[in-house]
Amino acid sequence: MSDKKHYLLIWPTIRKDWVKVFVDLKDDFQLTFLPSTFPKVPNFANDFKCCYWSEFDSAQDILKKLMPDGIIFMSIESGLSMALNHTAQKEGIKTYILQHGIFTNYRDYRTREKLWRKKDVVQMVKQEQSEKAFSSLSFIRNSLKGTDQIKLVLIALYTKLQQKKGAYWTAKYFPLKLKKASQYLCFSPFNATIHKEIEQVSDEQIKYIGSPELIPYLEVEENLMEEGFYLHIDQALAENSFGEETVSKVKMIEFYNKLNEFCLSKKAKLLIKLHPESYRSDWLPQHENITYLKEVENFNRIVQSAKGCFGFYSTMIIPAVYWRATVLFKIEYSGLQEAIDRIKGASILDFWSFKPGDIQLDEYQVENEVIKRQFILPEGISQNALRDLLNE
């Protein structure tokens, strides 16, 4: 039997960047993924043991068969996750929320939530479960024993409110103890804001670990690219797998063309790093001056080689702001952009109305130590903080 601690990961595996944090930990821990009700493609955790909700009939069944020392959730929003979280804690097993990107505040997520429409996705999940004869209700009912059966009503009401009002609204205004983890592993105090606002998490429940995803971007690259180019770090605003649309395809095409017009005026190329959700998009404008990037071996080298950067409010704008003069484009309120603007970390232009001539990068300077402490690695936190905490 292995002496390594065994963690069960309630974590989707359809994106490589989501799985990477555990790839870096696989030599130190025994890790088992439970990513979805049934297997999905692609699965970037093929090197790990993967199990699925449909293979078990209750939370107790999961704990008995897998025997984890702890459980790490990306989020605790579904009835299945709530039942497992509650049951594990009752059995003395510690549960964690591990952050997976830049988190901001309730106002930010609620603003975007009002624009999104996830009903089709919810219906697809229900249809899949029905066709393959798996019942979430039966699983949850089997998991909640005795007087805990009353919690079925709370989970059902919570789920209905999620569908009607949105996940963030429901979490804030209909808080359930069922969905509170034992501990929250947050990148920084700024990143912990959302948990304090919607789940009333105490300071004692939060541990700061820095951002495992962003810490490697603190390294200086020696062999920079010589070709002159500007880098845009894109987001899947016009389409993605969750059925969300923030900006129309027409407006996004207009946006890319304006960035390219600026780059042409500077006699430089435009590199657009696509979000993974956009890798298959077939509507992106084609121009000899534009290069679209998907997976790249060393994105840090590209960031540091750029003459300047553009972006919105994704996690990956942080390395851009850290290393290069950056222009961010405001679509609606963004808590991350607000925080960056407060410390003068980037220039911010209105997405809807800016002109190529409005972009000014040449004399813009950033205080990168402030960016590092606020978003990447808080002062006094070890780069191995996550590994150390999970070994406690």
Side-chain angles (χ1 to χ4, degrees), residues 37 79-80 125 129 134-142 152:
T37 309
L80 296 173
V125 172
Q129 291 185 354
F134 175 78
S135 169
S136 292
L137 179 60
S138 294
F139 181 99
I140 297 166
R141 184 186 292 118
N142 293 340
L152 274 169

Side-chain angles (χ1 to χ4, degrees), residues 272-299:
I272 298 178
K273 173 61 179 76
L274 293 173
H275 187 279
E277 297 282 351
S278 299
Y279 285 176
R280 298 184 181 182
S281 296
D282 59 4
W283 52 268
L284 301 170
Q286 301 301 309
H287 190 282
E288 61 183 8
N289 198 57
I290 301 175
T291 299
Y292 295 98
L293 305 176
K294 295 181 181 179
E295 290 186 24
V296 293
E297 185 174 341
N298 186 352
F299 189 55

Side-chain angles (χ1 to χ4, degrees), residues 228-230 262-269 289 307:
F229 66 88
Y230 290 89
F262 167 82
C263 293
L264 287 168
S265 73
K266 300 293 185 180
K267 296 181 172 53
K269 297 285 187 179
N289 198 57
K307 294 167 68 69

Side-chain angles (χ1 to χ4, degrees), residues 2 4 19-20 25 27 54 68 78 82 89 100 120 200 203 212 221 245 250 265 270 275 329 332 338 349 364 389:
S2 174
K4 297 177 182 178
V19 174
K20 185 179 183 306
L25 294 172
D27 292 336
S54 57
S78 71
M82 289 186 218
Q89 290 182 5
H100 57 283
D120 292 343
Q200 294 82 51
D203 289 334
E221 294 290 333
E245 180 185 295
V250 171
S265 73
L270 172 60
H275 187 279
F329 295 93
E332 71 273 322
E338 180 182 65
L349 295 178
Y364 202 82
L389 280 167

